[in-house]
Amino acid sequence: MDTPNHALRSNDLLASSLHFWWVALLRSSKDFWWICQQNGKCLDERLIRIWEDFGDLYQYKSFPEWWVKKGTKLFDSPQIEMELVKALTAGLELLLKTDLKIPMPGMVCLAIPLHLDPKTISEAIFKLFTTARLRGSHFDQDAKYQIIKSGNKKAYKSIKPAYLTNALNVCIDHSTASDQINHWGTYQVSKFLELCPQHHPKAGDSIIRTKSKQKAMRTKSSQATSMAAKLIANVEIGRFPSCSDVPTQARWTPNQEDDLRTAISCGQWQKSSWFESEHSFMLPEHLVSDTSFDGLKQPRCLDLLSDMRSVSHAG
């Protein structure tokens, strides 16, 4: 499969942000999905707050649509400030709150060159609002929700592998006996996602060295699965990226628990087409072709996982 040219797609700078993975992990939360199905009825006030602020993520067509309608209000400064792409804005300049005597919460304040004609101004402002809020750098120092800046680049780099490992595990769980991935374990997951390519066995490795590498790959896959669970638990209460322990609290009444088990058994949560829906939501502009090897069609989810893995990663 050819490597996608992400530079040609307007939403891919947004997709490379940590906010992208925040939302992707939140949509991987069974409890967040269930509170959306329950219309906010929940015993855990922490999860209720997230549902009230983020809204029902399953009612939007795509992540970019949700971002414009909801995300910027959560992740931007109330005084909306962003880095403009000069080529799109015809000399318009953004006024930051430090330039203003009176704050203008929820507003984008612009300085417009006097020599511009009305048509150019109109076109520049249109381009600004259709692209800059997706593509620009966002100022979040006083935003309601902020990325935790730990300075640990290794931790940031573990976010995407954790999400993809969790997603592939879901795909394996929902595969049929005839699917290529049906009998995959932690070793195959690690190998496909290249979680630790330095440990891939090579021709000429001794049996002992091969087994040692395979063990390291299984360990890496297990660690990524554990990391995903921790990240999901934290986004459920509004922290990201964080692996901190989250104190457990009752979330559902006995009747809700029974209904949740029924919903899961009926395939309403993470059904067989789950990752196809997730990929379509998170990366709506990515049209991914199926891949075949020796005439055998690769499972669709693997092509979609490869595409999501190829998205550049901020942090």
Side-chain angles (χ1 to χ4, degrees):
M1 181 173 63
D2 294 335
T3 301
N5 186 353
H6 290 161
L8 299 179
R9 289 189 277 261
S10 63
N11 292 327
D12 278 345
L13 285 178
L14 174 62
S16 71
S17 72
L18 287 172
H19 300 108
F20 175 91
W21 298 104
W22 186 326
V23 172
L25 284 157
L26 185 57
R27 280 177 59 97
S28 301
S29 163
K30 178 174 85 288
D31 280 2
F32 181 74
W33 171 78
W34 190 235
I35 196 175
C36 290
Q37 309 311 304
Q38 296 293 295
N39 198 30
K41 295 179 181 178
C42 179
L43 302 178
D44 188 343
E45 293 182 357
R46 301 169 303 176
L47 188 59
I48 292 173
R49 177 174 61 88
I50 299 304
W51 174 79
E52 289 175 342
D53 287 343
F54 284 73
D56 185 344
L57 281 169
Y58 302 92
Q59 296 300 311
Y60 294 87
K61 292 182 180 179
S62 68
F63 173 54
E65 179 194 12
W66 174 86
W67 179 265
V68 171
K69 292 182 178 179
K70 279 276 191 181
T72 53
K73 297 176 184 177
L74 303 180
F75 295 121
D76 270 337
S77 166
Q79 173 70 52
I80 298 177
E81 303 177 1
M82 66 193 89
E83 182 181 357
L84 301 188
V85 180
K86 291 184 178 179
L88 299 179
T89 52
L92 273 67
E93 292 187 12
L94 184 73
L95 298 180
L96 306 181
K97 63 181 178 182
T98 52
D99 300 318
L100 305 173
K101 289 186 177 181
I102 301 175
M104 302 288 286
M107 304 286 285
V108 174
C109 300
L110 300 173
I112 302 175
L114 291 173
H115 64 81
L116 294 181
D117 60 89
K119 181 180 178 182
T120 300
I121 294 173
S122 178
E123 291 176 350
I125 292 176
F126 176 76
K127 289 179 180 178
L128 164 68
F129 278 93
T130 55
T131 60
R133 295 192 76 177
L134 293 178
R135 300 181 61 183
S137 298
H138 294 260
F139 295 77
D140 66 353
Q141 63 267 28
D142 54 351
K144 188 167 187 177
Y145 292 90
Q146 300 180 30
I147 297 291
I148 297 174
K149 298 177 175 64
S150 66
N152 188 341
K153 290 187 176 181
K154 185 177 180 181
Y156 285 158
K157 289 181 179 179
S158 70
I159 296 168
K160 181 162 66 170
Y163 172 83
L164 295 174
T165 300
N166 179 72
L168 180 50
N169 286 335
V170 172
C171 294
I172 292 170
D173 289 343
H174 287 90
S175 63
T176 63
S178 60
D179 287 339
Q180 169 191 340
I181 63 175
N182 184 252
H183 300 294
W184 277 17
T186 52
Y187 171 74
Q188 289 85 354
V189 168
S190 182
K191 185 176 182 180
F192 176 77
L193 295 177
E194 297 186 6
L195 299 181
C196 49
Q198 71 275 19
H199 291 305
H200 287 195
K202 299 178 181 178
D205 285 344
S206 66
I207 294 176
I208 294 176
R209 182 164 178 77
T210 297
K211 289 184 176 179
S212 176
K213 286 184 174 182
Q214 290 174 337
K215 181 180 180 181
M217 291 172 68
R218 293 189 181 97
T219 298
K220 191 70 173 180
S221 179
S222 297
Q223 289 173 341
T225 299
S226 177
M227 171 67 78
K230 292 177 180 177
L231 289 168
I232 290 170
N234 277 275
V235 295
E236 289 174 348
I237 63 169
R239 295 194 307 224
F240 183 79
S242 175
C243 301
S244 300
D245 291 336
V246 176
T248 58
Q249 291 185 20
R251 285 183 168 171
W252 316 113
T253 65
N255 286 340
Q256 286 179 308
E257 290 278 7
D258 290 341
D259 291 343
L260 175 56
R261 282 191 289 269
T262 299
I264 293 173
S265 65
C266 292
Q268 295 179 37
W269 164 242
Q270 292 185 333
K271 51 191 175 183
S272 58
S273 59
W274 171 76
F275 193 68
E276 180 118 24
S277 298
E278 291 306 291
H279 181 276
S280 178
F281 178 86
M282 298 303 301
L283 296 169
E285 293 184 343
H286 287 215
L287 302 178
V288 179
S289 301
D290 295 338
T291 301
S292 298
F293 297 101
D294 297 326
L296 297 176
K297 186 177 178 181
Q298 177 171 263
R300 174 70 172 164
C301 65
L302 297 186
D303 291 319
L304 299 176
L305 283 161
S306 294
D307 180 67
M308 189 169 277
R309 186 164 64 89
S310 67
V311 173
S312 60
H313 182 20

